Amino acid sequence: MQQIVEQTIQVLKSGGTILYPTDTIWGLGCDARNAEAVERLYSIKARDHSKSMLVLCTGRMLADGDSMPESADSRPTTFILPAERWRHMLRAHLAPNLAAADGSLGIRMPQHRFCQAVIDGLGAPIVSTSANLSGQPSPQGYDDIAAEVKARVDFCVPPLPEFLSGATSGSRIVKLEADGTVTVIRP
């Protein structure tokens, strides 16, 4: 596993894009600090910029004394946070084309060994968006990912058993507003 983690990190450091397993479904990603790589993900997915992407991070990416919101259970949960909260919380300066038009950003802390190793090895959050063309169903497994998507990324992490989470659906999505309002977008 370590060799593939290191190869993945090198691709990200060089501005490349990846197809990789996450704690939910297979994702497309890049270094979240690299605006050109983020732009390439929009192109790979043929996705409108009005639909923002999320980032995966580990506790090492958070400012001292800060933490992610608590999830109601152990399910993977993406929290969409207002700009003032995520900008204060994350140590990294992210690509400006990642946030939504209102400045909010989706963030998830994966409980997935491969993702954690890559994020910590890179020293920065990575982008995560489902590995499908915009408007198409999210793939439930590696074999469901369109050949066109696989061909467009710079590196495909092999679907080795030790990398797979077994999940077949995306994360729960919860939006937290600056005024404290909580909205469950995807249960």
Side-chain angles (χ1 to χ4, degrees), residues 78-80 102 104 173-177 181-185:
T78 299
F79 291 96
I80 300 175
D102 66 358
S104 65
I173 301 175
V174 177
K175 186 168 186 175
L176 306 176
E177 303 287 351
T181 303
V182 177
T183 305
V184 176
I185 295 174

Side-chain angles (χ1 to χ4, degrees), residues 18 22 26 34 44 51 57 63 81 99 114 153 162 173 185 187:
I18 60 171
T22 74
W26 279 79
N34 187 320
I44 289 168
K51 297 180 180 182
C57 68
L81 304 175
F114 176 79
V153 296
E162 62 265 33
I173 301 175
I185 295 174

